[in-house]
Amino acid sequence: MVRDLECKLERGVMKMAKLRKMLTHPRKGESGQGALAIVVILLMLGAIILTPLLVFMSTGLKAGGVYESKVQEFYAADAGVEDGLWQIKNDKLSTLFYSYPYDPYNYTANYSYSVAPNASGHEINAKNVTVNIANVWIPSNIPTPNPAVARSIIENGTLIVTGSVINFTGGRWGCQIKISYSWRGDDPNGTNLKIATIGAWISGGCNYTSGSGNLSSYTPTCVPYCGGQAITWNLNSQTFKLSGQTSYPLVRTFNFNFTGPESPNPQALSWITTTDVPAIPYSWDADSKPYRIGSTAGSTTTEAYTIKNEMRKLGSTISGDYVAIGNTLMMPDPNNNPSDPNQDYRSRLLKESSATIQSSSPSGSGYIPPGATIEAAYLYWSGWIDHYYWKATTRYGHTTWSWSADPTDWGVPQDNWTGLVYDASNLQQMVEGWADGSGKGAKVNTVNFNGIDITTHDWQVWPKTNDAPACWYYTCFYDATSIVKPLIESDVSTFTLGHASNGTTSVINQLRPGDSSASHTYSFTLCDSNGNPTSSYTGYPLGTSAHKLPSGGSYDGRYHASYAGWSLVIIYSSPDTQGHQLYLYDIKSPGFTFQESFPGGASQSDPDFDGDGNPGGKISGFLVPQQVGSETNAAKITCFVGEGDEGKTGDSFKVTGPSGSWANLPDGTGAALNDVWNSESVGLAVPGVDIDTFYVTWSSNIVRAGDTWAQVDLPTTGDGFTLSYIILSFRSSVTTGGAISYLIR
């Protein structure tokens, strides 16, 4: 066969040589006619070949266009996936799907949006890209719950399940499932709850190692599921509380091994089903949130799955971190030496005071990272008020004020003076002022905040009971989010609070028309930040001075109880900030009572700020994460406290963890650990109130990774104080995993 091919090739070459000779050396007498015939033949042959050749070229060009279009669709759809990942990572789903609205516990809904054109108005590769995002329900043996049921189980925080992937060794990974049970009234002593099944899902490319871990005595069921593998163990309704367990909450830990690649780290989610406590039939690892992202451009759809690890939304938690700023509105006489005992007596009422948010030093107080989103801003102000009338006087070379012992203009009979502070209707008049506009009542419910008069959204009053029943403390709350958010986002960083503007000029004429008697002057001279009197007055003071004319007496008394101040708590989120879990207790929280904490009564010597009937507060339902890098602090706690006195010792701040470790924490001012409520705070130039932040360090071992509760106490044995709020923040990492699977349709 080879030889035949060689012969044919030789004959073809000879014919081509003969044809070339004919074309280049015509015979005699042909006069080019033979060449012309050959040319005509070639033209006819070219015509026959050219038409299909052009058609082929056209088809090729079209195919190239189709190929290019598909590539453009692919990249446009891919860009849609990236946009969806960005929306999830930066917590934008609630904003993105505001009108729908987005519900993190709705596992049957699909949320769609169109990727907006760029700044030039052009779409991605001239394609309209539609992105679909859906929450994915993972527990394989539990029917998909409706949003209300899912939310109630997780936000209740009674049964918390977490799963973590650990220890890659010899081609195997470990998975630890930790279950924390804070039993409630429907399960006395935690003895009713039983474990029916335990489940876990591991991501694609991983396989369960049979007979591994402390679940080896139970026969597992393994099935392919959601691109990975689901494993369930039947525990046959095993009692959750084991013999000898006494801790609260109850904690059980299970583990198993599985094979998988060393990189990237595999994902795992866990869940549990229960019996005998109907309120919690199951729970799952709500800290790991899986999403499906679908992106369509033209006829091309790209689909990806991602898991975001974040803190769960418990009933008392707020995602993000916080800063707390504020200042005093009352200060001691600046002429007194700081070591003078009179520094304890706050006798100058300031016209206003300011505090500043800063964004240049992450280690400083009041720091909010640039570009952060303001989630909430809560304003508090608090003070001590005496119900007697005030009149102007001069003391120590400065115009100040004292009290008239004749409160007849209050419209309260003399024999009811003491009962005045206990009567709810009169307390309301004290806080909000008389409705007839006569100027009676303190009207502490209205302040001027950054030039705007605002009125409190809620308030509480506590009568001073230990030594002066005819006076009272108050605290007010205002949700200032709508004011603060646009200011910070437009680079305003300083906030100022003062007295209501309608009481700052001509108060005698405004509040008591036709009556300018000095004995009935219901006004205060306001001082500047240095304590010097100004030309401004107020008929609605937010606090009263340390000088008082005792009932029936003629001498000047001084009161440690006097104070006035304010604080602004700002809660923010930022993709550049590592995550935290926040717990806020104030007068808007169920069970929180604003009161005077004083060593005269056992129930008040350690304020019951969580309202459970026990001193202090047991904060539970959170989950302490692993230490992140070389971080120093595992938690921080800030309190806004009034009426604390320097030198009156016995007041401390104590945190105890489940391990039994505890410590009295410092307030950062250098004060003794038994004098934290000393009216001095980091960042405040002059004494007046406490806005103190305490740090729980990882090295102290007070709380450790995996802890779900901590006890916080504010005991006092020698000083009185009032607590307006306490806010606590635990570290928790917030990360977004890569795509688990990536498919092109």
Side-chain angles (χ1 to χ4, degrees), residues 157-161 178-182 240 249-252 706 708:
T158 301
L159 189 65
I160 295 179
V161 180
K178 187 172 183 179
I179 310 169
S180 176
Y181 179 39
S182 302
F240 189 91
L250 300 171
V251 177
R252 295 284 301 274
T708 57

Side-chain angles (χ1 to χ4, degrees), residues 230-245:
I231 313 107
T232 54
W233 295 265
N234 189 343
L235 271 63
N236 301 314
S237 297
Q238 180 187 120
T239 301
F240 189 91
K241 185 174 184 179
L242 300 179
S243 176
Q245 281 188 312

Side-chain angles (χ1 to χ4, degrees), residues 118-443:
N118 62 22
S120 301
H122 298 108
E123 296 175 326
I124 302 174
N125 289 343
K127 305 297 179 183
N128 181 25
V129 179
T130 300
V131 180
N132 177 276
I133 296 177
N135 305 310
V136 179
W137 178 249
I138 289 293
S140 59
N141 63 329
I142 303 174
T144 304
N146 66 54
V149 171
R151 182 182 295 274
S152 65
I153 290 175
I154 291 302
E155 292 190 354
N156 180 269
T158 301
L159 189 65
I160 295 179
V161 180
T162 59
S164 56
V165 177
I166 55 176
N167 301 332
F168 179 81
T169 305
R172 294 195 307 173
W173 290 93
C175 181
Q176 183 182 79
I177 304 171
K178 187 172 183 179
I179 310 169
S180 176
Y181 179 39
S182 302
W183 44 268
R184 307 286 173 88
D186 53 356
D187 185 8
N189 302 315
T191 55
N192 291 348
L193 187 74
K194 296 180 176 60
I195 306 174
T197 65
I198 290 177
W201 174 90
I202 50 180
S203 55
C206 300
N207 290 283
Y208 167 69
T209 301
S210 179
S212 61
N214 62 0
L215 286 166
S216 58
S217 58
Y218 303 98
T219 302
T221 299
C222 303
V223 295
Y225 188 68
C226 286
Q229 188 179 53
I231 313 107
T232 54
W233 295 265
N234 189 343
L235 271 63
N236 301 314
S237 297
Q238 180 187 120
T239 301
F240 189 91
K241 185 174 184 179
L242 300 179
S243 176
Q245 281 188 312
T246 59
S247 62
Y248 180 88
L250 300 171
V251 177
R252 295 284 301 274
T253 301
F254 300 90
N255 56 75
F256 66 92
N257 296 329
F258 62 91
T259 59
E262 182 175 5
S263 181
N265 288 354
Q267 299 278 358
L269 289 91
S270 307
W271 62 89
I272 177 177
T273 65
T274 68
T275 62
D276 294 5
V277 180
I280 43 173
Y282 54 85
S283 187
W284 69 97
D285 183 359
D287 297 319
S288 299
K289 302 187 66 175
Y291 299 89
R292 182 179 64 252
I293 306 171
S295 176
T296 301
S299 60
T300 300
T301 296
T302 301
E303 186 174 87
Y305 291 82
T306 187
I307 290 182
K308 181 181 180 183
N309 300 313
E310 62 178 19
M311 79 286 293
R312 65 192 62 204
K313 301 290 191 299
L314 295 171
S316 58
T317 63
I318 307 170
S319 175
D321 203 359
Y322 76 90
V323 296
I325 60 173
N327 212 332
T328 181
L329 285 168
M330 186 175 288
M331 60 183 291
D333 188 331
N335 293 325
N336 292 336
N337 188 288
S339 61
D340 191 323
N342 287 327
Q343 281 289 313
D344 284 347
Y345 301 103
R346 291 160 285 272
S347 57
R348 295 288 184 275
L349 185 63
L350 302 181
K351 177 182 178 180
E352 60 188 22
S353 61
S354 300
T356 300
I357 297 292
Q358 57 95 10
S359 58
S360 59
S361 175
S363 61
S365 61
Y367 172 79
I368 294 180
T373 299
I374 305 304
E375 304 291 348
Y378 301 136
L379 177 66
Y380 305 83
W381 61 96
S382 181
W384 174 76
I385 299 289
D386 191 290
H387 82 272
Y388 290 154
Y389 272 98
W390 300 275
K391 63 179 181 180
T393 186
T394 300
R395 298 178 185 279
Y396 312 115
H398 295 283
T399 301
T400 178
W401 48 87
S402 61
W403 277 256
S404 165
D406 178 16
T408 54
D409 278 347
W410 287 77
V412 180
Q414 185 171 351
D415 56 358
N416 287 339
W417 288 1
T418 301
L420 177 67
V421 294
Y422 297 100
D423 184 271
S425 62
N426 284 327
L427 282 177
Q428 183 171 353
Q429 291 169 341
M430 283 184 171
V431 174
E432 299 180 358
W434 254 245
D436 61 8
S438 63
K440 300 174 184 177
K443 200 171 183 178

Side-chain angles (χ1 to χ4, degrees), residues 82-96:
E82 293 298 327
D83 189 80
L85 287 170
W86 184 90
Q87 301 288 350
I88 292 171
K89 178 181 179 180
N90 291 274
D91 294 321
K92 300 296 184 181
L93 298 188
S94 295
T95 303
L96 187 64

Side-chain angles (χ1 to χ4, degrees), residues 23 36 129 147 185 261 380-381 394 409 417 535 555 587 610 674 683-684 697:
L23 292 174
L36 176 62
V129 179
Y380 305 83
W381 61 96
T394 300
D409 278 347
W417 288 1
S535 58
Y555 62 91
I587 60 175
D610 62 351
N674 66 343
L684 297 189
T697 63

